[in-house]
Amino acid sequence: MLDGVSLDQLRTFLAAADEGSFSAAARRLRRTQSAVSESIANLEAQLAVALFDRSARYPRLTREGSILLADARGIVAGVDGMKARAKGISGGLEAELAAVIDVFFPISVIAEVARDFRDQFPATPLRLYVEALGGVVQPVIDGRASFGLVISLPTLPAGLVAERVTSIDFVMVASVDHPLAAHAGLIPRDELARHVQLVLTDRSDLSAGREFGVMSPSTWRLADLFAKHAFLLSGLGWGGMPLHAVAKDITDGRLAELPIEDVPPGGLKLPMSAVYRNAAPPGPAGRWMIERLKQCPNESQSGGSLTGP
C-alpha cells in the first residue's frame, strides 16, 4: 500500500497542516474541500496512520501526523530540488522575466541593471513591480513574479528561500523645522512617541498584526515612498528613509538626520535578499539578474550608497 502514496497526496497533507484546516488547504490548492478530505483520508488508509484528529472544529495533527509531517516535507523538498536542478540543466530561457523590487532599492540602479539585461536578453520582455513590505513577496507566492528583491523579513513564508544580495543605508529623518530636529543630543524613545511617525503600509496581508520599525503610537500610514518623502519635507511627521532617497535633502538643509537612542550613528544597514519559490527558482534570465544585482556599485548614480553582501 505504501507504494501507492503519491506526491500529490503529500502536497495536500502539507497544505492542510500548514493552513490549519481542510477548507483553507482547498483554497490554497484551488480544489474542493471534499477532494482535499478524500486525498488525506486515502493517504491515512495507505499509511495505516491517523494524521489528523478531527474531533474538534478544526483538524489537528496527531502525534504520529507531526512525526510524518517532517518526512513528507523532506520528500517534497527533495522532488522540488530535483525539478529545480533539471530546470537549470535544461537551461530553458524564460518567455518573460517578472520581478518585484522593494521600494527602498534605488530605482537608478534598477535602470542600470535593466539596461544590461536588455543587452544580454534582447528577446526576453521584462516586467517589474515596485512594492513595499509583504507586497514584494506576495507576487512571488502567487507565481506572478520569478523573484522579489526584498528587505529581509523576520519570518519567510513556507516554500520560499532567500538569497542575500546587498544592503542599503537607512536613516531616521524629519524636516529641519520639525521639533525633533532641534532636540539636543540623542533622542529617547519616549520623546519620539510624542510625535507622529510616518510609516509605509503593507498592501498585502503578509505583515498583518506585525509592526516593523514603528516607535510611536501615533502614526500616519502611506502606501507610497514618494508620498512619505513629500510629507517628511512638509514637516508632517518623522520617519525612516533609505539614505539614497534623502541624502541631497540632508545636504541641502531640507531634512535633518535624527540621532535616535539605540540606533547606531549613520543609521541602519538593511539587508536585502532575492526571494523566490523553492519549487520554481528563477531561470537563466532571472538568475543573471540576481547575480548582476549582487554587483551593485558602492556609490550609485542616484547619489546614495549600496553595500555589497
Side-chain angles (χ1 to χ4, degrees):
M1 295 294 288
L2 289 178
D3 289 341
V5 173
S6 69
L7 187 62
D8 181 74
Q9 288 174 321
L10 295 180
R11 290 192 189 279
T12 304
F13 174 33
L14 294 181
D18 291 341
E19 298 295 332
S21 73
F22 293 171
S23 58
R27 289 192 294 272
R28 171 172 155 181
L29 298 172
R30 298 181 181 180
R31 298 180 183 177
T32 63
Q33 182 174 341
S34 60
V36 169
S37 298
E38 182 181 358
S39 178
I40 292 174
N42 289 338
L43 178 60
E44 289 176 321
Q46 289 171 306
L47 297 175
V49 171
L51 300 173
F52 291 94
D53 177 356
R54 299 168 174 79
S55 61
R57 180 179 179 183
Y58 296 106
R60 294 175 297 177
L61 283 169
T62 61
R63 184 175 63 85
E64 296 81 3
S66 296
I67 294 172
L68 292 175
L69 181 65
D71 292 333
R73 288 196 193 282
I75 294 169
V76 172
V79 172
D80 287 342
M82 183 183 72
K83 290 166 60 180
R85 191 169 291 111
K87 180 178 179 179
I89 293 172
S90 67
L93 187 62
E94 301 96 321
E96 174 187 79
L97 177 61
V100 199
I101 308 299
D102 194 289
V103 69
F104 283 174
F105 196 82
I107 196 64
S108 61
V109 175
I110 293 299
E112 180 182 339
V113 172
R115 186 183 302 113
D116 293 344
F117 179 88
R118 180 189 59 189
D119 296 338
Q120 191 75 19
F121 303 96
T124 303
L126 182 62
R127 184 188 299 269
L128 290 179
Y129 305 89
V130 178
E131 292 286 352
L133 301 171
V136 184
V137 179
Q138 192 63 59
V140 179
I141 295 174
D142 296 342
R144 291 180 285 127
S146 175
F147 73 91
L149 184 62
V150 61
I151 291 175
S152 298
L153 299 173
T155 57
L156 201 61
L160 299 183
V161 294
E163 182 177 335
R164 177 70 179 272
V165 171
T166 187
S167 62
I168 64 163
D169 293 325
F170 188 79
V171 294
M172 301 297 176
V173 295
S175 167
V176 292
D177 298 323
H178 192 280
L180 286 175
H183 190 280
L186 291 177
I187 304 173
R189 297 293 181 108
D190 57 354
E191 178 63 22
L192 292 174
R194 296 179 56 246
H195 302 273
V196 171
Q197 181 178 1
L198 302 177
V199 180
L200 279 183
T201 191
D202 195 341
R203 284 187 268 211
S204 78
D205 296 326
L206 292 181
S207 63
R210 293 179 291 170
E211 299 283 14
F212 303 105
V214 177
M215 304 178 193
S216 173
S218 178
T219 60
W220 284 14
R221 296 181 181 270
L222 306 162
D224 184 276
L225 188 67
F226 300 104
K228 182 178 180 180
H229 185 202
F231 276 42
L232 286 166
L233 289 170
S234 298
L236 295 173
W238 66 274
M241 289 286 286
L243 179 59
H244 67 84
V246 294
K248 192 172 189 308
D249 296 307
I250 294 173
T251 300
D252 293 347
R254 290 185 292 271
L255 292 177
E257 183 178 348
L258 304 179
I260 293 176
E261 193 175 63
D262 300 329
V263 174
L268 303 168
K269 287 195 179 297
L270 301 182
M272 303 202 79
S273 300
V275 173
Y276 47 84
R277 288 174 292 156
N278 184 54
R287 172 46 54 190
W288 179 93
M289 179 168 279
I290 291 172
E291 295 301 326
R292 177 64 181 82
L293 286 166
K294 290 180 181 180
Q295 300 168 15
C296 289
N298 288 333
E299 294 294 328
S300 75
Q301 294 180 352
S302 66
S305 65
L306 290 177
T307 303

